[in-house]
């Protein structure tokens, strides 16, 4: 045991346990009188210097135990015990502690962290840390400078001392469409004189306005394939490889038609025929374009998967059905066109002067009396008379629309860019989801002309059908529930699996009704906002015109000037 004589505080270390005990001997109980023979403080009637924490720590350091870990509560208790002590008082107040450490390796083996607790009078753990790193096989990515600094300081907390090398990810195979490169450049508007604008013979639809049609020639570049770039494997702190995510090789789709990889560049897809390109996943399909002089009795009706270009006219009574576009460089008479894409008519669309179809259903079922065009894209024509036109996107009429039924999923524009005598919507019915734009609406003779926006004509039809189906499902569920109640009262009727079958029917009907309800909700979210719908008339609107925005109806009772017709404060107004 270590000890120091002739001190009021004597510290003794238990080498086995590392406990440090201190003994306080008050001056009155001192067995060692002053060496010079004088009287001690107690014997002289004087009080000794009171013991405090600072004095205790100084004595502890003086006797070589200053680095030991001190139990603060025990030390405070010892000081209180010594204040009134008349006899020697002893207590364990500190301990010798060796340094401690914690070495954590992440679950992914990509980092190692070290926490060091400095020794308190005990031994450092430098070699223990090194041994532990070897035991856990931490051999790669060691941050030697950080490790050495921590061991020298003897303390650190959650310090990264090794870091693995993450793999370098490669680039996946991807495909870039080159179809935009074939889009025609916009043409400048040429200002023609009034005399030229007044004569429809000089009215030409520019390709700029016809921008929705895209055709390619054999040899045109369609799509570029960029091969994958493999990644670089990494290494964890144990020296094991960490594989990069594999980049899979993807070739051009085997569903491509009318195209193939270039013979000198297998990553470049080029057209092998002239036609209309349609982009698919990992490729492009080129629908061939069939060129026909005229469609009449000599050619018969056309039913074709692709695009049709007619150099002349489509004669009365003929039918054209294609999956792509229809390009007519002449006139469309009282004929029918069904196109999966767009329809372009350089001339006009002319039907016979008979009663017009008043709805989608009646129009679809009416015999060949009028020109009828239905397309999945947009339609553009020079003019339209006595025609039924339905387009999923837009209807663009450069001249006039007379006694027509025009229905568009987005907008109907009549007369944009035309002369002073163009842009008239005369009679008939025009229904667009978002916008109707024309120069004139109606005539001075008061011909009834219906304009409607603020409701999607196609979504409304689908929604109505869904509501009927949903109501029918609810009625079926009600019948099944009544049947289940009957079976519950008559258990024998539910034997041989009848009850289970009825319950299965109930569950299926519930699932079907839920799906129908969710589909209704999705369609309602797509309905056009009445606040955004508008009718724009740039020159004038005549008496006899009826404007409907959503469910609001505004009959025009007198001739009015130009303006924007829209809903404000819950009412239709011309502003």
């Amino acid at each position: 045991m270590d000890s120091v004589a002739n001190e009021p505080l004597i510290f003794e270390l238990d080498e086995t346990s590392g406990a440090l005990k201190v003994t306080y001997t008050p001056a009155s109980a001192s067995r060692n009188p002053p060496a010079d023979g004088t009287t001690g403080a107690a014997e002289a009637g004087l009080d000794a210097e009171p013991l405090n924490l600072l004095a205790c720590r100084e004595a502890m350091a003086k006797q070589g135990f200053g680095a030991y870990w001190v139990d603060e509560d025990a030390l405070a208790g010892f000081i209180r015990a010594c204040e009134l002590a008349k006899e020697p008082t002893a207590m364990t107040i500190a301990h010798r502690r060796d340094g401690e450490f914690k070495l954590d390796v992440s679950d992914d083996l990509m980092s190692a962290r070290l926490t060091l607790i400095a020794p308190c009078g005990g031994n450092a753990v430098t070699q223990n840390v090194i041994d532990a790193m070897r035991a856990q096989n931490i051999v790669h990515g060691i941050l030697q400078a950080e490790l050495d600094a921590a061991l020298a300081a003897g303390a650190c907390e959650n310090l990264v001392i090794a870091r693995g090398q993450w793999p370098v990810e490669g680039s996946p195979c991807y495909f870039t469409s080159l179809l935009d490169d074939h889009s025609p450049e916009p043409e400048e508007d040429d200002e023609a004189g009034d005399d030229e604008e007044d004569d429809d013979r000089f009215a030409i639809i520019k390709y700029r306005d016809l921008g929705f049609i895209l055709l390619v020639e054999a040899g045109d570049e369609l799509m570029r394939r960029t091969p994958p770039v493999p990644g670089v494997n990494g290494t964890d702190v144990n020296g094991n490889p960490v594989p990069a995510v594999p980049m899979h090789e993807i070739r051009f789709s085997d569903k491509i038609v009318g195209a193939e990889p270039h013979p000198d560049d297998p990553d470049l897809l080029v057209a092998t025929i002239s036609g209309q390109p349609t982009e698919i996943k990992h490729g492009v399909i080129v629908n061939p374009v069939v060129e026909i002089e005229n469609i009449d009795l000599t050619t018969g009706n056309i039913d074709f998967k692709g695009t049709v270009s007619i150099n002349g006219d489509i004669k009365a009574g003929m039918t054209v059905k294609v999956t792509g576009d229809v390009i007519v460089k002449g006139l469309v008479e009282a004929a029918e066109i069904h196109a999966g894409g767009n329809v372009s008519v350089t001339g006009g669309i002319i039907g016979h002067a008979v009663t017009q179809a008043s709805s989608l259903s009646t129009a679809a079922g009416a015999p060949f009396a009028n020109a009828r065009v239905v397309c999945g894209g947009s339609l553009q024509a020079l003019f339209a008379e006595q025609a039924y036109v339905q387009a999923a996107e837009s209807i663009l009429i450069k001249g006039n629309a007379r006694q027509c039924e025009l229905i568009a999923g987005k907008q109907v524009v009549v007369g944009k860019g035309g002369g002073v005598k163009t842009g008239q919507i005369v009679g008939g019915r025009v229904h667009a989801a978002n916008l109707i734009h024309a120069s004139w609406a109606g005539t001075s003779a008061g011909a009834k002309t219906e304009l409607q926006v603020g409701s999607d004509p196609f979504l409304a039809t689908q929604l109505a059908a869904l509501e009927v189906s949903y109501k029918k499902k609810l009625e079926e569920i009600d019948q099944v529930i009544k049947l289940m109640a009957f079976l519950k009262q008559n258990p024998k009727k539910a034997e041989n699996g009848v009850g289970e079958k009825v319950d299965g029917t109930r569950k299926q009907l519930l699932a079907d009704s839920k799906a129908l309800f969710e589909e209704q909700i999705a369609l309602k979210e797509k309905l056009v906002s009445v606040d955004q719908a508008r009718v724009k008339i740039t020159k004038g609107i005549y008496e006899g015109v009826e404007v409907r925005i959503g469910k609001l109806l505004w009959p025009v009772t007198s001739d009015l000037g130009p303006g924007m017709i829209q809903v404000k404060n819950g009412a239709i107004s011309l502003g």
Side-chain angles (χ1 to χ4, degrees):
M1 306 284 289
D2 295 334
S3 64
V4 177
N6 300 322
E7 292 286 349
L9 293 175
I10 303 299
F11 293 88
E12 296 175 312
L13 176 65
D14 185 336
E15 295 289 351
T16 302
S17 65
L20 183 64
K21 183 175 70 174
V22 60
T23 302
Y24 172 69
T25 304
S28 60
S30 176
R31 297 178 181 179
N32 299 311
D36 57 3
T38 59
T39 303
E43 295 176 356
L46 299 174
D47 293 333
E49 182 74 22
L51 184 65
N52 55 40
L53 292 173
L54 180 60
C56 187
R57 288 185 178 277
E58 289 177 348
M60 186 175 173
K62 182 177 179 181
Q63 296 182 40
F65 302 106
Y68 281 43
W69 178 81
V70 177
D71 185 338
E72 300 293 343
D73 292 338
L75 177 58
F78 175 70
I79 296 298
R80 289 194 299 270
C82 293
E83 290 178 351
L84 302 175
K86 302 299 182 181
E87 298 294 334
T89 302
M91 186 178 294
T92 297
I93 64 167
H95 291 81
R96 179 187 63 197
R97 288 187 174 180
D98 293 336
E100 298 178 12
F101 76 95
K102 182 181 179 183
L103 184 61
D104 292 319
V105 179
S106 62
D107 294 338
D108 57 12
L109 301 180
M110 293 305 291
S111 66
R113 295 177 179 271
L114 175 67
T115 296
L116 274 177
I117 300 176
C120 297
N123 299 318
V125 291
T126 301
Q127 188 57 46
N128 303 60
V129 172
I130 302 301
D131 293 342
M133 291 178 64
R134 290 173 180 169
Q136 297 192 45
N137 196 31
I138 301 175
V139 296
H140 180 79
I142 297 175
L143 306 178
Q144 198 63 49
E146 287 82 349
L147 176 61
D148 292 344
L151 295 176
C156 65
E157 183 176 356
N158 208 29
L159 175 69
V160 177
I161 60 168
R163 183 178 287 114
Q165 182 179 3
W166 287 99
V168 178
E169 301 299 342
S171 300
C173 180
Y174 63 93
F175 297 80
T176 304
S177 174
L178 304 178
L179 296 179
D180 289 344
D181 298 341
H182 304 291
S183 299
E185 293 294 330
E187 296 182 5
E188 296 295 331
D189 284 329
D190 296 327
E191 293 186 1
D194 291 342
D195 294 339
E196 185 173 309
E197 287 186 343
D198 292 345
D199 192 342
D200 283 346
R201 292 177 302 169
F202 299 99
I204 299 174
I205 298 178
K206 296 182 180 179
Y207 195 87
R208 178 199 64 183
D209 300 325
L210 197 57
F212 49 73
I213 291 182
L214 176 62
L215 301 175
V216 296
E217 301 292 336
D220 284 348
E221 298 178 354
L222 306 176
M223 180 172 284
R224 166 68 65 179
R225 172 185 174 274
T226 301
V229 178
V232 180
N233 292 341
T235 308
D236 63 25
V237 295
N238 291 157
N240 301 317
V242 180
V245 176
M247 297 292 111
H248 300 291
E249 190 75 42
I250 304 175
R251 297 297 177 183
F252 284 116
S253 171
D254 57 2
K255 296 181 180 180
I256 59 176
V257 177
E260 63 181 18
H262 193 283
D264 299 327
D265 186 354
D267 294 321
L268 177 63
L269 188 68
V270 297
T272 57
I273 60 175
S274 298
Q276 177 197 18
T278 301
E279 187 175 345
I280 62 173
K281 186 176 183 181
H282 305 154
V284 175
I285 292 176
V286 179
N287 293 314
V289 176
V290 173
E291 291 192 5
I292 303 174
E293 287 302 315
N294 293 288
I295 295 181
D296 51 26
L297 294 177
T298 61
T299 62
N301 295 326
I302 301 296
D303 191 344
F304 179 65
K305 292 183 178 179
T307 293
V308 174
S309 178
I310 299 100
N311 294 326
D313 305 328
I314 300 179
K315 299 299 183 178
M318 307 307 298
T319 301
V320 177
K321 294 182 179 180
V322 298
T323 59
D325 294 341
V326 174
I327 305 169
V328 183
K329 298 179 181 178
L331 294 173
V332 175
E333 298 181 10
E336 183 172 1
I337 297 176
H338 287 269
N342 306 293
V343 174
S344 169
V345 182
T346 304
I349 305 172
I350 306 175
H352 294 163
V354 296
T355 303
Q356 293 294 295
S358 59
S359 66
L360 291 176
S361 59
T362 56
F368 281 126
N370 304 306
R372 186 174 300 110
V373 179
V374 177
C375 64
S378 296
L379 172 134
Q380 180 164 342
L382 179 61
F383 62 90
E385 294 183 7
Q386 302 289 343
Y388 172 87
V389 179
Q390 174 184 315
E393 297 292 328
S394 300
I395 296 175
L396 309 174
I397 305 295
K398 184 172 182 180
N400 302 318
R402 299 179 182 276
Q403 297 299 333
C404 293
E405 184 166 5
L406 308 179
I407 301 174
K410 290 185 178 179
Q411 62 178 352
V412 173
V413 179
V414 178
K416 188 174 182 180
V420 296
K421 294 182 179 179
T422 62
Q424 297 179 356
I425 299 177
V426 179
R429 175 173 173 262
V430 179
H431 187 175
N434 300 313
L435 169 69
I436 296 175
H437 185 181
S439 300
W440 300 91
T443 65
S444 57
K448 183 177 180 180
T449 305
E450 300 178 38
L451 308 179
Q452 182 173 350
V453 293
S455 63
D456 190 310
F458 308 115
L459 286 180
T461 303
Q462 295 176 41
L463 188 58
L466 281 175
E467 289 175 348
V468 171
S469 298
Y470 180 65
K471 183 178 179 181
K472 184 177 179 181
K473 288 293 180 184
L474 293 181
E475 293 173 352
E476 293 177 3
I477 292 172
D478 183 61
Q479 293 297 323
V480 171
I481 291 175
K482 290 179 180 178
L483 178 57
M484 292 180 67
F486 171 78
L487 294 177
K488 187 175 181 181
Q489 294 176 354
N490 301 272
K492 291 185 178 182
K493 298 289 185 180
E495 295 176 351
N496 300 322
V498 174
E500 291 80 358
K501 185 177 180 179
V502 172
D503 187 56
T505 302
R506 178 187 64 85
K507 292 179 179 179
Q508 183 61 49
L509 288 173
L510 287 173
D512 293 344
S513 63
K514 180 182 178 183
L516 287 171
F517 179 76
E518 291 175 349
E519 191 173 355
Q520 287 184 69
I521 297 300
L523 283 178
K524 287 179 180 179
E525 290 177 353
K526 295 181 180 180
L527 290 176
V528 180
S529 173
V530 172
D531 295 336
Q532 298 175 352
R534 61 200 186 281
V535 176
K536 184 177 181 180
I537 304 299
T538 58
K539 293 184 179 179
I541 182 169
Y542 289 98
E543 178 184 353
V545 173
E546 289 186 355
V547 179
R548 185 181 297 275
I549 301 181
K551 296 182 179 180
L552 300 176
L553 177 63
W554 180 50
V556 179
T557 57
S558 61
D559 296 347
L560 300 172
M564 184 77 74
I565 305 172
Q566 55 191 344
V567 174
K568 290 184 178 180
N569 299 321
I572 298 178
S573 64
L574 174 66

